[in-house]
Amino acid sequence: DITKMNTIDTAVGAFIGAFFAYLFMRIRDVFTKIYERHKDNFNALVRLEHLCCENMDTIANNIWIIDDFNNTVGQALNQGQTAIYGNRLHKLPFPEDIILKLTGIDFMNEVLSYKVDFSRLNNDIDTINVMYDSFKNALLGGTIDVNTYRVNAQFALDKSIELKYFLSSLEDKTVRINAYTRILCREQRPLLTKIVLLTFRKKIFTDRFNSKVAKEIEEIKKGREEM
């Protein structure tokens, strides 16, 4: 009987040891996944911040190109002359995977709306570039006359001026997104002591956060004015 009880105790002890080993392993896997998710979010924020900086430069460059296009071709058309323009508007890329790696729902929605603006903008840029290039090349190739070129060049110019207002609006939105990401990069660093499930569910756009955003926007604008 003693031998039988020892056998049972040994079996129970082995089972309990295996059970807790399995439990600890599963807990480790859960926290590893949480950490990886937090790290992916932080990396996405860093990429988004860099993207905003690049976009602000591209947007400013596109606005300059539109003004230069107007000064070159527009003035010539107003004077009854013909001029061609060589610069092209630049598209603004937006990586698809950035949004999926963010964790704050409200911020994800904000960035998604930002991405939709990019898609519309890039479509308009493609349309203007292709339209003007086709008539410019046709004029240079001798397949259309000067009057046909002037009419279509004016149309491309009008569309470019319309696009300039959208670019200015998107520039303001880019500054705001940049302010968001700069603050979140500081506040959501992937430290193990801060990783809990509620971290990913909490509301980001609090009054305190919006106050920080306003100050961050002023810093960004100040830095751009100094440049």
Side-chain angles (χ1 to χ4, degrees):
D1 292 339
I2 296 177
T3 302
K4 187 176 181 179
M5 291 183 63
N6 289 337
T7 303
I8 294 175
D9 290 341
T10 301
V12 171
F15 172 78
I16 293 175
F19 173 76
F20 279 105
Y22 172 79
L23 183 62
F24 289 139
M25 185 168 56
R26 298 304 299 169
I27 292 174
R28 183 198 63 186
D29 291 342
V30 168
F31 276 96
T32 298
K33 290 180 180 179
I34 293 174
Y35 174 76
E36 290 297 327
R37 186 74 177 95
H38 196 67
K39 185 180 69 173
D40 288 343
N41 172 68
F42 180 75
N43 290 338
L45 288 172
V46 172
R47 290 178 61 195
L48 185 57
E49 182 181 356
H50 291 169
L51 182 66
C52 286
C53 293
E54 293 176 2
N55 288 342
M56 284 189 288
D57 180 67
T58 303
I59 290 171
N61 190 29
N62 278 337
I63 291 175
W64 181 89
I65 289 173
I66 292 173
D67 289 338
D68 193 44
F69 182 38
N70 188 21
N71 292 333
T72 303
V73 176
Q75 287 189 11
L77 293 174
N78 291 335
Q79 297 172 4
Q81 300 175 354
T82 304
I84 60 175
Y85 191 69
N87 267 334
R88 305 177 87 248
L89 294 170
H90 305 292
K91 292 169 52 173
L92 289 80
F94 195 101
E96 296 284 344
D97 60 331
I98 285 182
I99 297 177
L100 297 177
K101 291 183 178 180
L102 298 173
T103 55
I105 299 300
D106 44 2
F107 185 56
M108 288 175 66
N109 292 334
E110 190 80 11
V111 177
L112 179 60
S113 172
Y114 184 53
K115 178 184 177 298
V116 170
D117 289 340
F118 270 60
S119 299
R120 294 173 180 171
L121 174 69
N122 287 332
N123 287 336
D124 291 342
I125 287 176
D126 273 336
T127 299
I128 293 172
N129 282 339
V130 171
M131 177 174 57
Y132 180 72
D133 285 348
S134 63
F135 287 102
K136 177 181 67 176
N137 294 333
L139 177 67
L140 295 175
T143 57
I144 62 172
D145 58 27
V146 172
N147 289 332
T148 302
Y149 166 77
R150 287 177 179 171
V151 170
N152 288 280
Q154 183 65 56
F155 183 72
L157 180 61
D158 292 341
K159 290 298 181 183
S160 296
I161 294 174
E162 291 177 8
L163 184 65
K164 178 180 176 180
Y165 294 105
F166 184 70
L167 283 167
S168 298
S169 176
L170 187 61
E171 186 175 31
D172 291 338
K173 195 167 188 176
T174 301
V175 171
R176 177 169 292 275
I177 294 292
N178 192 22
Y180 289 156
T181 56
R182 286 171 59 165
I183 295 172
L184 292 174
C185 278
R186 292 196 293 264
E187 295 188 351
Q188 294 187 357
R189 296 184 183 277
L191 300 175
L192 287 174
T193 54
K194 296 182 179 180
I195 297 178
V196 289
L197 290 174
L198 292 177
T199 301
F200 304 133
R201 300 291 182 180
K202 69 180 181 181
K203 183 175 177 61
I204 290 177
F205 294 159
T206 61
D207 291 340
R208 176 172 170 269
F209 181 80
N210 289 331
S211 176
K212 289 184 177 181
V213 168
K215 293 179 181 179
E216 202 71 32
I217 288 175
E218 292 302 318
E219 289 295 323
I220 295 171
K221 288 182 177 180
K222 181 180 177 181
R224 296 187 67 207
E225 288 174 357
E226 290 176 353
M227 288 181 62

